[in-house]
Structures are given as C-alpha cells and as structure tokens.
Amino acid sequence: MFERRLRVVLTIPVLCGLLMLARLYRLQIVERERYQENATEALIGPRHYLPPLRGAVRDRYGEVLVSDEPAYDLTVLFGALEANPEFVEQYALDIRRSEPDWSEADTVALTEEATHRLDSFYDRLARLSNAPFDDLLLRRDQIVDSVRNLREYIWKHRSDKLQKSFKEFRIREQHLYHPLMRDVSAEARAQIEMALRDLPFVRIEPSVRRVWHDRATPLCHILGRIGQVSPERIENDTRRGDGLARYRAGDLVGVSGAELLAESDLRGIRGYEEKDLDGNVVEYVPPVDGNDIRLTIDLDLQQTIAQILIDAVHEDENRTGASCVVLDVESRDVLALVSVPTYSLDTFRESYSNLRDDTRYRPLLFRAVAEEYQPGSIIKPVSLLAGFRYGLVDPSATSFCDGSYKNDSTHWHCWTYWRQLPGHGDVNAEQAIQHSCNIYFYGLGERLNAHRLTSFYSDFLLGPTRSADESSGTGLIEERSGIIPTQEWIFGRRGRGYRIADGRNYAIGQGELQITPLQAANMYATLARGTFRDPTILDDDFRDRPETEIPGLRTSALNTARRGLFRCVNEEGGTAERTAKLDEVVVCGKTGSAQCVSRALRTSYVFDVGGGRQQTILAPTIEAARAALDDGDSAELIKRKIVERWPPPREKEKTPPPHAWFAAYAPYKRPRISMAVVIEHGRSGGQVAAPVGQKILRAILASPHGYLTPDDRGPLAKRKSEDGA
C-alpha cells in the first residue's frame, strides 16, 4: 500500500517535469521563430508606407504638363475616423496606460474622455490648420463611406468563400491610416505635430501632390483628373495580390482623360520603412515611381489654336464654344485636340459648382470627343463615295439645280434658295462638292437609301472591321462614337422604319446623323489617304491600329471626291475659295452649316419634398436644384420644364443659328495633316468656320516642327505655271 502511494507521489512530479520539458521544447524549438518575430515586433514601431510619385504627363516634345511633387498628409487611423465602439474601448485603455492622471479612473469615465477627445479633434484641427470644419467632417465621412462600401462590396462577392459572419469580417483598410488632409503646409505641419501629439491615432506622413503646370490649361480636358479610387476598382485591380502595389481605399487614381487612359503606366508601387523604438531604421523598401507618359499633342500648337477659337467665339454673343482637331494623316497622331472654353485644373475643386452650372458655355464639356454634332455638308464627299460603292454615280453625269428638289417642295431646297440666289444649274460630282449643291445630294441619297448610306458611313467613320459594339478612337473614356442611325437605331429611338426623307437628309449630313470633331478630322484623313485608322493621343500607343481598306472603294472614286474638295477651296465658286485658300500650300476642304437646337439654359424642377408638399426650383442643373432644397438627396423629382434656352431662335425662324464647320486636309498631293473645326452657332461654314480654319492652317505652317511646308503646290502650281508660260 505504501509502495503504491510512493509510486503515485513520484510519478506526478515526473509527469509534470515531462510536460514542462515538452512545453519548453515547443516554445524554444518548434515555435522559436514565431516568438522571435513577436519579440522583434514589440521593439519595432508601426510600419510607415512611402508613397510613389505618379508618372508625369508630357507633350509631344517632352514639356511637362502635370507631375507629382513631394508633400505631407495628415492621416488618421480608420477606427478613429469611424469612432466605432471597439476603437473607443481600446483608446480608453491606452489613455489609462499612458497617462498617470487617468490610471485609477473607472471604465465609464475613460470611455467618456476617449469619446470627447475624438469629437473635439476636428475642431482642434480646424483651428490649427485654418481648414473649414465642415470640410474636415465631409472628408471624414467620405473616407468612412468608402471603406464601408469596399467592405460590403468584397463581402458580397466573396461571402461564399469566407468562414466568418459579416460582423466578424474585416478588411485591411479598417486597420490603416487614411489621409484626412492632403498637402499640409510646412507651417501647419509643425503646429499640428506639436499640438496633437497627445492623439496617437494621428500622423503626419510623407505623400505627393499633383501639380498642373502653368501652360497646361489648353489641355485641361485631355489631361483629365484624379480622384479617390472606387470599391469596384480596388476589387478588380490586376495588382490586388501585391500588398504594396494594390489600390487601397483613399488612393488617388486617374478618373478621366489621359490620367485614366494611362493609369497602368502612371501609377507606381508604394514602399515602406520600419524603425525600432530608438528610431533606427530596421527595414526599408523604397517606393517605385510610376512611368512618365508622352502625348502626341503639340502644346504650342494647342495653345495657338485655343486662342484662335476663343477669339472666334467672342466675336458673336450667340456662339457658345468651339473645337478643333488636327491629325497626322499617316500615323493618325492627334497633334491638337482643342475644346473651348477651358478651365483651370488648379482651381477645379473650388470652382466645380460654377463650372457645372454654366449651361451657356459648358466649360466642362470635352467638345472634341464628347459632343456629337450634325456634320452638315462636310460629309458630302463621303456620301458621294457611298454612291460610287453601289454603282450609282457616274462622275461625268450631271444633275440640274434650280434651287428646289421638287417643284412644290416647301422643305427640300438648296442653300442658294434660302439666300435668294439662283440655283447651280447642271453640276457633276466634282462640282456638286465644289458648290455644296444640296439638290445633287438629295437625289443621290434617295437613290442610295438610308440603309446603304449608314452602312457606308459606319465603315468610313468607325472602321470596316469593327463590330457595332466595339469601341473606336483614342480610348479616352469621354469619347463618343457619334450617331449613325441604323435601322435598329431608328426603330429603337423613333419607333419606325426608314423613310425616303432619311436618305436625303443623311446625304447632306442632317437628320439623326451626328459625329464628333475628332471623327470629322479622321474622316478627312481617311479621304486623304484612302484607308481607315484609329487616332491616338499616346506617343507609345501599343494598341493594334492597322490601316484598313474601305470595302468597295476604288482609287478613281476617291480621286473624284478629292478633286471636288480641291475645287471647293481653290477654284472660283467654291464655298471656301475666298476664305480658306492659301498661297503657301494647296488645301482641300469643305464647309458645312448644320442645323441644331438651342440648349437648356434654365429649367424648372418640381420636387416632392414629403408630407404632401411640392417645391419648385429654377436652376441651370438638377444638381444646383437639389442643392437649393433642404433635403435634396431624398426629395423625388416629379417633373421638369425648360424655361430658358440659348441661343434664342433667329429672327423670323424657329431654329437657332446653325453650327459652322470646316474640314480639310493638306497638301493636295501626299497629304500630311487633316483638320476639322466647328464653331457652335457660328451660322455659316464658309463665312465663319473657313476663315478660322485658314488661321489654324497658317499656325500649322508656322510651326517649327514642319507639319506642313510650302514645298508641294499640287495642280494649282502647275496651272499657274502654264498660265505664266
């Protein structure tokens, strides 16, 4: 009995010893590395991320248009921004541990103090930085909403793969510091660091700021803007698996223009550094800056053309804006992509509401690629080529123009009729383009019919190998593909099929047909070269942009259209002969005056504001109307009515002044550049747009980069030589 008890007594310490040995083995051998890491981490401060510089955007010749510069941001831990209960509880414990005066305080008092410090933080920061208090709260709410939306978005798309409830689910952004104030000045930074050092959830961290250079204003629409990254872009980021390269909530990314188009090149990879408690750097990974990009745009040419257009718009109070596009015919590099009015990128945020509500001049509109205009007569050479494709044009055959297409017509007239001028008489294909004879093209459009016309326009304007739902052009997010009214489009928008009148209208560039200034310039490049190619604004555009033949289009047909364009500018009777002709180079071009409608200047908005009450607001935009309401976000819009338009209808007419077009290429032989210019409500293409086009062509000739030279005088030089002999 005694021996058994002795064995039990002796066995217990042995087992305890073995357990202790096993535990020591596990701690010192099996889990040695983990505990070493934990010990090291306890001696190392929090990781500081180092932002990369975003790549610069340069013009064709390397001049910097926009770039990043080093800056400092005031960042706040997300828990403090959200002021969630878990953070408040942890912050209360931190106060107890770090401040002797609070070491004996009870939990309730500590929680109240932590909450008070969080609430008063924004008022303290506003006084220290002179930043508006409301702006700080707005920025806080934006960050919190962004992270919450990202969390919900990820949960929605991954909840089936997670072994957690939504309440337990956390994302990395909830444990990070987010910039509450960007680009803090050195003076404010020093004051904030001294005054807020009692708040451990606040940091001043190195950052960058985007700087737009002085001469960048004429390219404001092209350069585009940066903004806060969306949850969708974070989740769909191709670099999501890289902790340093991936997007994080609050990151600034390209949201429009070249900033978005070249985002993958411009963005960099953040670095980081870790310091021990003595301030020594124990690990440092440098950031990798983004790559610079170079546009095909010539800044000097862009500036010169912008000023020409601004002067043209200011000549008449009815005019609301203008655009011009200049292309290299062979490469389809965009040399100038001008929209006026412009705006300052530096003051965009402060002046956004004024820019948005300027419904007369619409400075935010990227007219060159985002506005669709009826092309008017500048499309007549292309409708002529459509006639050639389908064997309906004999270049020597004539049509008689007496000013009216039908004897009893009240609508189908030539432009001469409205000016009380005699008709053009007998005109062939070349003369029809030279004199811009509507009667010739009414007949051609009727014989072709709308279906064949729009099919050919689609090949010529969008590319013959591209399906209807494929994007074309430069790839800019703002770019629109015009309106080519196919049968499906007409039925979907008008609820009907084609009519005879559609063919007539489309042949002269009226009706539902609409194109952008970029498409117009590219259309004339295709006329000049005989092949279609997408334009580009990026010097290193690695997209597949092959030159493509237009099916069914023969060189002889192109030459007929080209001779008509030559005559339009260089022979007596041409609609641009007196206003666009140059002595230095032979220009081939076409004028156009396109009917249009007035734009809404002010609108009456009626809202249901609840409680059976309605409120009517007169405002330029729906955003401005909602801003005038007490609760604009929740009020339901019941109806709207335009109460003022601009420009007003012309005297004795129901329509406003038409848009004025001029499109051209030069020189006649071996074309090098094409261009298109539109003056909104400019009235006459020949009297207004063509002279503007002539000034632009002179500016191109004056460029030191040799886009145009007076070397090739074409058939005009030969004719003068023969006359002189």
Side-chain angles (χ1 to χ4, degrees):
M1 187 71 177
F2 174 77
E3 291 179 357
R4 190 192 313 168
R5 290 179 179 175
L6 180 61
R7 283 197 296 270
V8 171
V9 171
L10 293 176
T11 301
I12 291 173
V14 170
L15 290 175
C16 291
L18 290 174
L19 288 173
M20 292 178 63
L21 288 173
R23 183 59 178 163
L24 288 171
Y25 176 81
R26 181 176 180 81
L27 291 173
Q28 297 187 21
I29 306 299
V30 177
E31 298 183 355
R32 174 171 170 269
E33 292 185 2
R34 182 166 72 87
Y35 283 103
Q36 278 186 329
E37 290 176 1
N38 290 343
T40 303
E41 289 176 0
L43 299 175
I44 296 176
R47 175 177 290 183
H48 283 252
Y49 287 99
L50 307 173
L53 293 176
R54 188 173 175 83
V57 181
R58 301 174 181 269
D59 90 327
R60 187 179 188 87
Y61 300 102
E63 182 162 348
V64 176
L65 305 170
V66 57
S67 61
D68 269 4
E69 292 185 358
Y72 284 89
D73 291 345
L74 181 141
T75 65
V76 181
L77 192 61
F78 178 77
L81 293 169
E82 191 180 36
N84 58 67
E86 293 84 359
F87 178 82
V88 173
E89 181 181 348
Q90 183 60 49
Y91 183 34
L93 293 176
D94 290 341
I95 294 174
R96 171 180 282 167
R97 283 195 296 263
S98 60
E99 300 183 26
D101 292 344
W102 289 92
S103 60
E104 302 298 328
D106 59 37
T107 302
V108 174
L110 282 168
T111 301
E112 290 178 351
E113 178 64 15
T115 302
H116 171 71
R117 294 188 187 186
L118 286 171
D119 291 340
S120 62
F121 159 63
Y122 299 97
D123 182 60
R124 294 172 64 188
L125 180 59
R127 285 186 278 106
L128 289 168
S129 63
N130 292 322
F133 177 77
D134 290 341
D135 287 358
L136 294 176
L137 295 185
L138 176 62
R139 175 62 182 155
R140 177 200 64 186
D141 294 342
Q142 288 174 339
I143 296 170
V144 171
D145 289 343
S146 176
V147 174
R148 286 176 176 172
N149 291 338
L150 177 60
R151 178 172 174 249
E152 291 175 4
Y153 183 91
I154 295 174
W155 173 259
K156 180 180 178 181
H157 290 78
R158 296 194 198 174
S159 58
D160 57 329
K161 302 176 183 178
L162 299 171
Q163 302 299 318
K164 295 180 180 179
S165 65
F166 180 72
K167 185 177 181 180
E168 298 172 312
F169 176 60
R170 296 288 183 272
I171 59 175
R172 284 172 290 200
E173 280 73 11
Q174 292 177 272
H175 306 288
L176 298 176
Y177 284 77
H178 297 266
L180 183 67
M181 289 180 58
R182 295 189 183 275
D183 193 20
V184 181
S185 67
E187 180 181 356
R189 192 164 71 240
Q191 293 180 359
I192 291 170
E193 286 180 327
M194 289 295 294
L196 300 184
R197 55 187 174 180
D198 61 314
L199 303 179
F201 53 82
V202 179
R203 288 181 182 172
I204 298 290
E205 295 188 311
S207 179
V208 293
R209 66 187 181 103
R210 204 66 169 157
V211 177
W212 292 273
H213 295 253
D214 293 339
R215 299 213 298 153
T217 297
L219 290 96
C220 60
H221 300 97
I222 305 171
L223 294 174
R225 302 184 297 276
I226 57 175
Q228 187 167 294
V229 66
S230 67
E232 291 79 11
R233 289 182 73 175
I234 293 174
E235 178 65 9
N236 299 321
D237 185 9
T238 56
R239 306 185 194 177
R240 192 178 64 195
D242 187 331
L244 295 178
R246 68 179 182 83
Y247 289 132
R248 298 192 319 199
D251 281 354
L252 297 178
V253 299
V255 296
S256 65
E259 293 278 16
L260 174 59
L261 182 63
E263 171 67 18
S264 59
D265 288 321
L266 292 169
R267 65 185 286 198
I269 301 174
R270 64 178 63 83
Y272 68 87
E273 69 175 10
E274 293 180 345
K275 297 181 179 180
D276 60 25
L277 298 184
D278 294 325
N280 302 310
V281 176
V282 296
E283 186 172 5
Y284 174 77
V285 174
V288 179
D289 294 338
N291 299 316
D292 291 358
I293 64 164
R294 184 171 295 200
L295 304 179
T296 61
I297 306 295
D298 180 337
L299 174 59
D300 292 330
L301 184 62
Q302 180 93 0
Q303 281 191 307
T304 301
I305 294 175
Q307 190 58 56
I308 292 172
L309 294 184
I310 289 170
D311 293 343
V313 170
H314 289 167
E315 287 177 3
D316 190 317
E317 67 172 0
N318 287 319
R319 299 173 191 173
T320 54
S323 178
C324 176
V325 181
V326 180
L327 299 180
D328 180 293
V329 165
E330 181 178 0
S331 67
R332 304 297 165 95
D333 283 358
V334 181
L335 304 178
L337 193 67
V338 186
S339 294
V340 298
T342 57
Y343 58 88
S344 171
L345 288 162
D346 277 328
T347 59
F348 172 77
R349 294 185 183 279
E350 296 83 351
S351 57
Y352 172 72
S353 59
N354 292 330
L355 295 170
R356 178 199 65 199
D357 296 338
D358 186 350
T359 49
R360 178 170 174 177
Y361 294 104
R362 299 181 296 163
L364 294 179
L365 179 62
F366 194 173
R367 288 171 166 82
V369 300
E371 182 69 329
E372 297 160 324
Y373 305 91
Q374 292 171 312
S377 295
I378 66 169
I379 207 164
K380 287 177 178 175
V382 182
S383 61
L384 180 69
L385 294 177
F388 274 109
R389 173 195 264 187
Y390 294 104
L392 298 176
V393 171
D394 177 349
S396 61
T398 61
S399 292
F400 182 74
C401 170
D402 64 358
S404 297
Y405 185 58
K406 304 285 186 182
N407 290 334
D408 58 348
S409 172
T410 59
H411 176 70
W412 305 102
H413 297 291
C414 198
W415 61 268
T416 57
Y417 174 89
W418 305 110
R419 298 189 185 182
Q420 289 77 51
L421 297 172
H424 295 112
D426 287 319
V427 292
N428 61 22
E430 291 181 22
Q431 293 167 331
I433 293 177
Q434 175 187 1
H435 301 297
S436 197
C437 179
N438 285 351
I439 304 305
Y440 182 96
F441 286 98
Y442 286 150
L444 177 59
E446 187 172 319
R447 295 195 307 275
L448 271 167
N449 72 49
H451 174 68
R452 289 194 288 195
L453 257 178
T454 55
S455 176
F456 187 78
Y457 287 163
S458 180
D459 285 351
F460 211 89
L461 291 168
L462 303 179
T465 61
R466 181 173 281 112
S467 63
D469 58 349
E470 273 188 287
S471 62
S472 61
T474 62
L476 288 165
I477 193 173
E478 299 89 345
E479 188 171 342
R480 304 183 72 172
S481 56
I483 297 175
I484 298 177
T486 61
Q487 283 183 317
E488 294 78 13
W489 190 96
I490 284 289
F491 186 79
R493 304 301 197 285
R494 300 287 184 263
R496 63 171 176 84
Y498 282 138
R499 297 171 179 167
I500 292 176
D502 293 329
R504 297 176 192 167
N505 270 327
Y506 301 163
I508 65 165
Q510 294 291 166
E512 294 84 4
L513 181 68
Q514 295 185 16
I515 65 175
T516 67
L518 176 63
Q519 286 180 309
N522 203 35
M523 177 172 70
Y524 272 68
T526 301
L527 280 167
R529 192 163 175 83
T531 53
F532 175 87
R533 191 179 190 187
D534 278 322
T536 181
I537 66 164
L538 295 180
D539 186 54
D540 293 324
D541 193 335
F542 298 108
R543 296 179 302 158
D544 185 20
R545 297 187 302 113
E547 285 193 273
T548 311
E549 300 284 342
I550 307 295
L553 191 58
R554 297 183 177 181
T555 303
S556 58
L558 279 164
N559 286 338
T560 299
R562 291 163 179 164
R563 286 192 295 269
L565 293 170
F566 168 82
R567 288 184 170 200
C568 182
V569 177
N570 299 286
E571 292 191 355
E572 186 175 353
T575 58
E577 188 266 335
R578 296 183 180 179
T579 52
K581 184 178 178 180
L582 292 174
D583 293 332
E584 299 90 342
V585 67
V586 178
V587 177
C588 299
K590 184 75 188 72
T591 59
S593 300
Q595 294 178 1
C596 56
V597 296
S598 300
R599 295 282 179 176
L601 201 62
R602 283 200 309 158
T603 302
S604 171
Y605 298 94
V606 181
F607 295 92
D608 181 353
V609 294
R613 296 182 301 111
Q614 294 183 358
Q615 187 173 354
T616 301
I617 302 291
L618 288 179
T621 61
I622 182 66
E623 294 87 355
R626 287 195 177 279
L629 294 171
D630 294 334
D631 192 2
D633 292 335
S634 61
E636 179 185 356
L637 177 65
I638 300 174
K639 62 181 178 180
R640 70 182 78 194
K641 181 181 179 181
I642 298 172
V643 297
E644 185 179 359
R645 291 181 177 271
W646 189 270
R650 292 173 290 176
E651 190 175 342
K652 298 181 180 180
E653 297 185 33
K654 296 180 180 180
T655 60
H659 299 321
W661 279 100
F662 178 66
Y665 66 83
Y668 178 73
K669 293 183 177 180
R670 295 179 293 278
R672 299 176 64 187
I673 64 100
S674 67
M675 62 160 288
V677 58
V678 60
I679 311 295
E680 290 180 351
H681 308 295
R683 295 183 183 270
S684 168
Q687 299 303 314
V688 174
V692 171
Q694 185 187 60
K695 292 179 182 178
I696 293 169
L697 287 164
R698 291 192 187 282
I700 297 171
L701 273 166
S703 169
H705 302 297
Y707 304 123
L708 271 181
T709 59
D711 300 333
D712 182 4
R713 295 294 298 124
L716 198 64
K718 181 179 179 182
R719 185 170 302 177
K720 285 187 175 181
S721 176
E722 290 172 350
D723 292 344

